[in-house]
Amino acid sequence: MRDKELYAAILGIRSPWQVANVELATKAEEVRVRLEMQAGTRLGCPECGASGPGYDTRRRTWRHLDTCQFKTIVEADVPRVECPKHGVRQIEVPWAEPGSGFTALMEALVIDWLKEASIAAVARLMSLSWDQVDGVLQRAVDRGLARREPLELERIGIDETSFQKRHEYVTIVTDQESGNVVYVADDRKQESLQGFFDELEPADLLRIQSVCMDMWAPYIAVVEENLHRAESKICFDKFHVAKHLGDAVDKVRRQEQREQLEEGDRSLVGTRYAWLSNPEHMDERSTGLLERIKHRVLRTARAWALKEHAMCLWHYASRTWARKAWLAWISWAMRSRLEPVKRVARMIRDHLEGILNAIVLKATNAPSESTNAKVQRIKRMACGFRNRSRFRNAIYFHLGGLDLYPANPSTHTTS
Ligand SMILES: [Zn+2]
């Protein structure tokens, strides 16, 4: 008797359901909790709520949280109801979501663990199969996306991130207010991003004030096509410009290092990260290193100085002064005789208005930048993804800001 009350409380079982029996199978290390419905209960169609005559019952089981390391199985004969409109349907039960083999509480716990660990680790920890845990994740994301309120976006960031192999990408749209990922699509083509705009209403499109992104022609074309006065909203932010210049410094360094090595000079060996790091965060070792070799590696040092100078051109309040400063920088860079830097300078010249937009709108891609770092962590945690759709759902799961939990009145009490 005590067991029944205990499990009724644990499972949140209320009338018309009750715990009929609790069976402890010591050998199988299993607790079986049998639930039954009080006779004469009115049965409602899960679709429309209309009550109908009972049709038959189906035996179903759900895995629940372990009880003292014993696997806990909930079991019930669930009635099916005959609805005049929807036909024969199984009624909903208060402890689990339709179609799930887990009680809602168990599913919520799996979701909590998935926030901390990989599918494989959660499966091991909770003695579930990989597919079972994956199913919880996929259902949680579907649920979260279905429940999501209409998006009201003002500032967005668009980013690409690599998926598994080097040249496969996904496009990620971030709401810069909340930091949530609001859209994930395959590839980084025009149609990847167009899918995002297709989901928005005309009023939503008018609300968007700034779009932070890389100087990437397919994205630019799509934003120009979809947003009114896009030329005043597209922002090429510091983070993306820094990335291009960082790559240019690295190219100059590699070339100079190659030439020096041919003459037996090893000045640049092992200095890659020192040149790429932000001077504000540079440790003493790197600072000392650059000081020592600066005069011997003139081209790399010049490229580096150009990059660092460009990083100081983001604080202007006035568009006019910002333009002057950037034009001066472009002219310096074009005279540098450093081909990789000149290539970026040309790109900056062709996209200058977008850079000025970023400066005067104070649009930074910091939220997307941290999204990127988090996506990399998700990738590492999963040791790669079997396919893009799983990768996409993992991003939504961790970064979508979605309400993932099964909502069940008797078991989920936090809402
Ligand atoms: Zn119905």
PDB file of all heavy atoms in Angstrom, residues 45-50 83-87 89, ligand 1:
ATOM      1  N   CYS A  45     -11.278  12.390 -27.048  1.00  0.00           N
ATOM      2  CA  CYS A  45     -10.425  12.299 -28.234  1.00  0.00           C
ATOM      3  C   CYS A  45      -9.224  13.230 -28.048  1.00  0.00           C
ATOM      4  O   CYS A  45      -9.389  14.377 -27.652  1.00  0.00           O
ATOM      5  CB  CYS A  45     -11.226  12.713 -29.470  1.00  0.00           C
ATOM      6  SG  CYS A  45     -10.206  13.039 -30.927  1.00  0.00           S
ATOM      7  N   PRO A  46      -7.981  12.758 -28.319  1.00  0.00           N
ATOM      8  CA  PRO A  46      -6.796  13.594 -28.102  1.00  0.00           C
ATOM      9  C   PRO A  46      -6.760  14.783 -29.059  1.00  0.00           C
ATOM     10  O   PRO A  46      -6.081  15.776 -28.805  1.00  0.00           O
ATOM     11  CB  PRO A  46      -5.638  12.640 -28.374  1.00  0.00           C
ATOM     12  CG  PRO A  46      -6.199  11.583 -29.251  1.00  0.00           C
ATOM     13  CD  PRO A  46      -7.639  11.436 -28.862  1.00  0.00           C
ATOM     14  N   GLU A  47      -7.500  14.672 -30.153  1.00  0.00           N
ATOM     15  CA  GLU A  47      -7.455  15.707 -31.185  1.00  0.00           C
ATOM     16  C   GLU A  47      -8.419  16.839 -30.859  1.00  0.00           C
ATOM     17  O   GLU A  47      -8.048  18.006 -30.845  1.00  0.00           O
ATOM     18  CB  GLU A  47      -7.838  15.068 -32.526  1.00  0.00           C
ATOM     19  CG  GLU A  47      -7.236  15.732 -33.734  1.00  0.00           C
ATOM     20  CD  GLU A  47      -5.742  15.452 -33.855  1.00  0.00           C
ATOM     21  OE1 GLU A  47      -5.311  14.298 -33.618  1.00  0.00           O
ATOM     22  OE2 GLU A  47      -5.019  16.395 -34.160  1.00  0.00           O
ATOM     23  N   CYS A  48      -9.693  16.474 -30.564  1.00  0.00           N
ATOM     24  CA  CYS A  48     -10.726  17.510 -30.418  1.00  0.00           C
ATOM     25  C   CYS A  48     -11.360  17.511 -29.031  1.00  0.00           C
ATOM     26  O   CYS A  48     -12.137  18.407 -28.708  1.00  0.00           O
ATOM     27  CB  CYS A  48     -11.813  17.321 -31.477  1.00  0.00           C
ATOM     28  SG  CYS A  48     -12.683  15.761 -31.325  1.00  0.00           S
ATOM     29  N   GLY A  49     -11.030  16.523 -28.213  1.00  0.00           N
ATOM     30  CA  GLY A  49     -11.569  16.511 -26.857  1.00  0.00           C
ATOM     31  C   GLY A  49     -12.967  15.937 -26.759  1.00  0.00           C
ATOM     32  O   GLY A  49     -13.485  15.726 -25.660  1.00  0.00           O
ATOM     33  N   ALA A  50     -13.605  15.662 -27.891  1.00  0.00           N
ATOM     34  CA  ALA A  50     -14.964  15.121 -27.864  1.00  0.00           C
ATOM     35  C   ALA A  50     -14.949  13.760 -27.172  1.00  0.00           C
ATOM     36  O   ALA A  50     -14.063  12.953 -27.400  1.00  0.00           O
ATOM     37  CB  ALA A  50     -15.487  14.967 -29.285  1.00  0.00           C
ATOM     38  N   CYS A  83     -13.732   8.440 -31.903  1.00  0.00           N
ATOM     39  CA  CYS A  83     -14.260   9.789 -32.116  1.00  0.00           C
ATOM     40  C   CYS A  83     -14.997   9.802 -33.451  1.00  0.00           C
ATOM     41  O   CYS A  83     -14.492   9.263 -34.429  1.00  0.00           O
ATOM     42  CB  CYS A  83     -13.112  10.792 -32.133  1.00  0.00           C
ATOM     43  SG  CYS A  83     -13.585  12.439 -32.674  1.00  0.00           S
ATOM     44  N   PRO A  84     -16.199  10.423 -33.487  1.00  0.00           N
ATOM     45  CA  PRO A  84     -16.934  10.440 -34.758  1.00  0.00           C
ATOM     46  C   PRO A  84     -16.134  11.142 -35.863  1.00  0.00           C
ATOM     47  O   PRO A  84     -16.260  10.812 -37.044  1.00  0.00           O
ATOM     48  CB  PRO A  84     -18.205  11.226 -34.432  1.00  0.00           C
ATOM     49  CG  PRO A  84     -18.107  11.691 -33.026  1.00  0.00           C
ATOM     50  CD  PRO A  84     -16.891  11.103 -32.394  1.00  0.00           C
ATOM     51  N   LYS A  85     -15.289  12.088 -35.464  1.00  0.00           N
ATOM     52  CA  LYS A  85     -14.569  12.867 -36.464  1.00  0.00           C
ATOM     53  C   LYS A  85     -13.188  12.279 -36.771  1.00  0.00           C
ATOM     54  O   LYS A  85     -12.770  12.227 -37.928  1.00  0.00           O
ATOM     55  CB  LYS A  85     -14.397  14.298 -35.947  1.00  0.00           C
ATOM     56  CG  LYS A  85     -14.183  15.337 -37.011  1.00  0.00           C
ATOM     57  CD  LYS A  85     -14.455  16.719 -36.436  1.00  0.00           C
ATOM     58  CE  LYS A  85     -13.683  17.784 -37.168  1.00  0.00           C
ATOM     59  NZ  LYS A  85     -13.537  18.985 -36.322  1.00  0.00           N
ATOM     60  N   HIS A  86     -12.470  11.854 -35.734  1.00  0.00           N
ATOM     61  CA  HIS A  86     -11.070  11.450 -35.920  1.00  0.00           C
ATOM     62  C   HIS A  86     -10.845   9.945 -35.890  1.00  0.00           C
ATOM     63  O   HIS A  86      -9.701   9.495 -35.953  1.00  0.00           O
ATOM     64  CB  HIS A  86     -10.179  12.131 -34.883  1.00  0.00           C
ATOM     65  CG  HIS A  86     -10.196  13.626 -35.006  1.00  0.00           C
ATOM     66  ND1 HIS A  86     -10.927  14.434 -34.164  1.00  0.00           N
ATOM     67  CD2 HIS A  86      -9.612  14.446 -35.910  1.00  0.00           C
ATOM     68  CE1 HIS A  86     -10.774  15.689 -34.530  1.00  0.00           C
ATOM     69  NE2 HIS A  86      -9.990  15.733 -35.586  1.00  0.00           N
ATOM     70  N   GLY A  87     -11.899   9.187 -35.736  1.00  0.00           N
ATOM     71  CA  GLY A  87     -11.729   7.735 -35.752  1.00  0.00           C
ATOM     72  C   GLY A  87     -11.202   7.214 -34.429  1.00  0.00           C
ATOM     73  O   GLY A  87     -11.270   7.891 -33.404  1.00  0.00           O
ATOM     74  N   ARG A  89      -8.656   6.595 -31.701  1.00  0.00           N
ATOM     75  CA  ARG A  89      -7.405   7.238 -31.268  1.00  0.00           C
ATOM     76  C   ARG A  89      -7.085   6.865 -29.837  1.00  0.00           C
ATOM     77  O   ARG A  89      -7.987   6.701 -29.015  1.00  0.00           O
ATOM     78  CB  ARG A  89      -7.526   8.771 -31.359  1.00  0.00           C
ATOM     79  CG  ARG A  89      -7.881   9.304 -32.729  1.00  0.00           C
ATOM     80  CD  ARG A  89      -6.752   9.086 -33.713  1.00  0.00           C
ATOM     81  NE  ARG A  89      -5.582   9.867 -33.353  1.00  0.00           N
ATOM     82  CZ  ARG A  89      -5.371  11.103 -33.805  1.00  0.00           C
ATOM     83  NH1 ARG A  89      -6.242  11.685 -34.612  1.00  0.00           N
ATOM     84  NH2 ARG A  89      -4.288  11.753 -33.437  1.00  0.00           N
TER      85      ARG A  89
HETATM   86 ZN    ZN B   1     -11.777  13.913 -32.302  1.00  0.00          ZN
END
